[in-house]
Amino acid sequence: MQVLVRDNNVDQALRVLKKRMQREGLFREIKARMAYEKPSEKRAREKAEGIARHRKLARKKLQREGLIPGPKKAVYTRDGAANKA
């Protein structure tokens, strides 16, 4: 993974790198490899992840069809603060 540093702005490049690593799931993988996971725990975790993924897809589908309300959108004020409406 490679991030370009522009105008000697290392802080911004580091933020971009962390965001990319988060998106790729690198932090989750590192955390998982720090300790041994029993096969039964792995199966239970994968099953729970699959159920959560299925529920999320079903919820998104119902929102698209208009059967349930969508997520609340952030409303920005003049000072830049976000309020949930």
Side-chain angles (χ1 to χ4, degrees):
M1 194 172 302
Q2 187 176 24
V3 175
L4 298 176
V5 179
R6 296 182 187 152
D7 300 328
N8 276 343
N9 195 347
V10 178
D11 293 331
Q12 182 182 5
L14 190 60
R15 244 182 288 135
V16 170
L17 177 65
K18 285 182 179 180
K19 191 178 286 188
R20 285 186 188 176
M21 290 170 67
Q22 179 76 30
R23 200 177 310 130
E24 292 290 324
L26 209 63
F27 293 125
R28 188 181 305 133
E29 185 176 344
I30 290 171
K31 185 177 177 183
R33 289 176 184 246
M34 289 181 81
Y36 178 73
E37 185 178 26
K38 290 172 36 177
S40 60
E41 292 173 348
K42 183 177 178 182
R43 278 194 305 272
R45 177 182 51 80
E46 288 176 347
K47 185 174 182 179
E49 287 174 356
I51 290 170
R53 195 168 38 249
H54 178 73
R55 284 184 180 159
K56 183 177 180 180
L57 287 172
R59 186 173 58 245
K60 294 273 189 183
K61 182 179 177 186
L62 291 174
Q63 286 174 354
R64 278 194 305 271
E65 294 173 356
L67 298 175
I68 60 174
K72 295 185 178 182
K73 297 181 181 176
V75 177
Y76 292 95
T77 59
R78 284 186 171 188
D79 61 353
N83 296 325
K84 295 281 184 176

